[in-house]
Amino acid sequence: MAVGAGLLSLVLIPALSLMGQSSKLLQRLEIQDQLLFEAEKLIEQTKIDLCDPAVFASRRGTFEAQVVGNETDSLRSRLTIENSITSNLVTIEVTVWEDANNSRSLNANELSETLRTQWSQP
């Protein structure tokens, strides 16, 4: 009986450890999915804003950004709009990260996602 219990514990302890690791990885994937969703929404929101010719002509630089209607303190976003190869094309880059320490800046240990696309003048 003791030998059987010992063998069973040799199998169960690593299995329980793997379950804990699996739970952590699943939580990390959920956060990354949320970050990608936010980045995609910001890109689409920016494209809509840039449909106005006056905004397209004047909006360049790096800005803090948030998805309209989805303001949250745990996620931070940085939007960069810069000129591209031609004058009627801009590059849009969005970085979204989980601001775990509430520093309002991206740190090496924080999960982040970056998306980049180009948009043409309307």
Side-chain angles (χ1 to χ4, degrees):
M1 185 84 151
V3 171
L7 288 175
L8 186 61
S9 70
L10 287 176
V11 172
L12 284 180
I13 290 173
L16 291 174
S17 172
L18 288 176
M19 286 178 55
Q21 288 177 349
S22 174
S23 175
K24 287 178 185 176
L25 285 175
L26 182 61
Q27 185 178 17
R28 181 184 172 108
L29 284 173
E30 287 176 2
I31 292 170
Q32 285 182 308
D33 188 42
Q34 183 181 8
L35 294 172
L36 277 173
F37 179 76
E38 290 288 317
E40 288 172 357
K41 295 286 272 186
L42 277 170
I43 291 251
E44 293 304 314
Q45 183 176 305
T46 303
K47 286 178 181 179
I48 290 169
D49 292 343
L50 292 174
C51 284
D52 180 356
V55 173
F56 188 91
S58 64
R59 191 159 187 212
R60 301 291 185 276
T62 300
F63 315 94
E64 262 193 50
Q66 284 189 325
V67 173
V68 174
N70 194 24
E71 292 79 12
T72 177
D73 291 333
S74 63
L75 300 181
R76 301 279 184 226
S77 307
R78 182 174 44 238
L79 167 68
T80 302
I81 302 172
E82 56 191 21
N83 290 329
S84 194
I85 307 167
T86 64
S87 62
N88 63 344
L89 192 65
V90 293
T91 300
I92 304 167
E93 182 176 290
V94 173
T95 302
V96 180
W97 69 94
E98 182 185 35
D99 195 11
N101 60 1
N102 207 19
S103 67
R104 303 187 76 86
S105 63
L106 179 58
N107 300 323
N109 62 340
E110 295 174 332
L111 291 177
S112 68
E113 292 292 337
T114 300
L115 294 179
R116 175 181 272 203
T117 190
Q118 291 184 318
W119 190 246
S120 179
Q121 184 175 11

